[in-house]
Amino acid sequence: MMEVRRTIAEVLTLPESIVFDANNMQDVSRLDRFITVLNSYQSDIGTEIKFNGVNEEEIASTARELTISVNAYGKNSYDLLCKLTESMRLTPVWQRLKHLGMGYLRCSQIRSLPTTIAGGKEQRAQVDLTFSINPIVKAQVNRGDTVKFNLEKG
């Protein structure tokens, strides 16, 4: 997730220091704007299992959709998320995501969610970004080249 946050910061030309993991929030009381990123959920699409007899390993490759919730707080938060969603298909972003083993699929509608705090309004917006990921798990599975049977009369 750290690399995803870095990518979002680069796309929005923001310092990495104001793009936070939503599960590990820091004191934001002195910031006029910031972004939070949350790994919301993953959905399995399907799994392919192969056996490599030469290396004696089983390989499970699962196609998944990963949904990440991005919240922007402060001035121009809605516009920031518009820029983010419009930039997701650009070549530099695509290349960076490919390096991370991810592919961008789609986004939800951007929601404007202004909040009243301390007698004023804070601009806030939220969008869900959906990516494809393909985690691969390998396990040693030793094959049996010969099998001996012991038959007993009973």
Side-chain angles (χ1 to χ4, degrees):
M1 287 300 292
M2 184 171 65
E3 288 299 321
V4 171
R5 290 193 312 272
R6 275 192 186 130
T7 301
I8 290 170
E10 281 185 24
V11 167
L12 298 176
T13 58
L14 295 172
E16 288 179 35
S17 61
I18 65 167
V19 181
F20 300 106
D21 179 347
N23 287 322
N24 191 16
M25 282 298 297
Q26 300 171 18
D27 181 12
V28 294
S29 60
R30 296 181 184 205
L31 298 175
D32 61 344
R33 64 182 179 163
F34 63 95
I35 306 281
T36 63
V37 180
L38 176 67
N39 181 348
S40 294
Y41 57 91
Q42 294 183 27
S43 302
D44 283 2
I45 297 171
T47 301
E48 175 184 43
I49 298 177
K50 293 182 181 179
F51 178 71
N52 180 336
V54 174
N55 296 330
E56 296 184 358
E57 65 183 0
E58 190 172 56
I59 304 161
S61 174
T62 302
R64 288 191 180 146
E65 284 189 357
L66 165 67
T67 300
I68 296 174
S69 180
V70 181
N71 286 269
Y73 299 84
K75 187 176 181 182
N76 297 323
S77 58
Y78 188 89
D79 294 335
L80 274 176
L81 294 187
C82 285
K83 179 181 178 183
L84 176 64
T85 59
E86 292 165 3
S87 301
M88 292 306 296
R89 288 188 173 86
L90 295 175
T91 300
V93 176
W94 176 82
Q95 288 172 333
R96 184 156 186 165
L97 291 173
K98 183 177 179 183
H99 178 72
L100 296 174
M102 302 172 74
Y104 175 71
L105 297 176
R106 64 185 171 276
C107 66
S108 68
Q109 292 180 330
I110 301 170
R111 293 171 288 284
S112 180
L113 306 166
T115 305
T116 303
I117 52 171
K121 282 219 182 236
E122 176 185 60
Q123 292 181 29
R124 180 176 166 239
Q126 192 272 333
V127 69
D128 292 329
L129 304 177
T130 303
F131 300 90
S132 64
I133 60 172
N134 188 320
I136 297 173
V137 178
K138 297 179 181 182
Q140 283 301 124
V141 179
N142 298 327
R143 66 178 181 263
D145 289 330
T146 60
V147 177
K148 291 185 180 183
F149 291 97
N150 187 12
L151 301 175
E152 296 180 15
K153 291 183 181 178

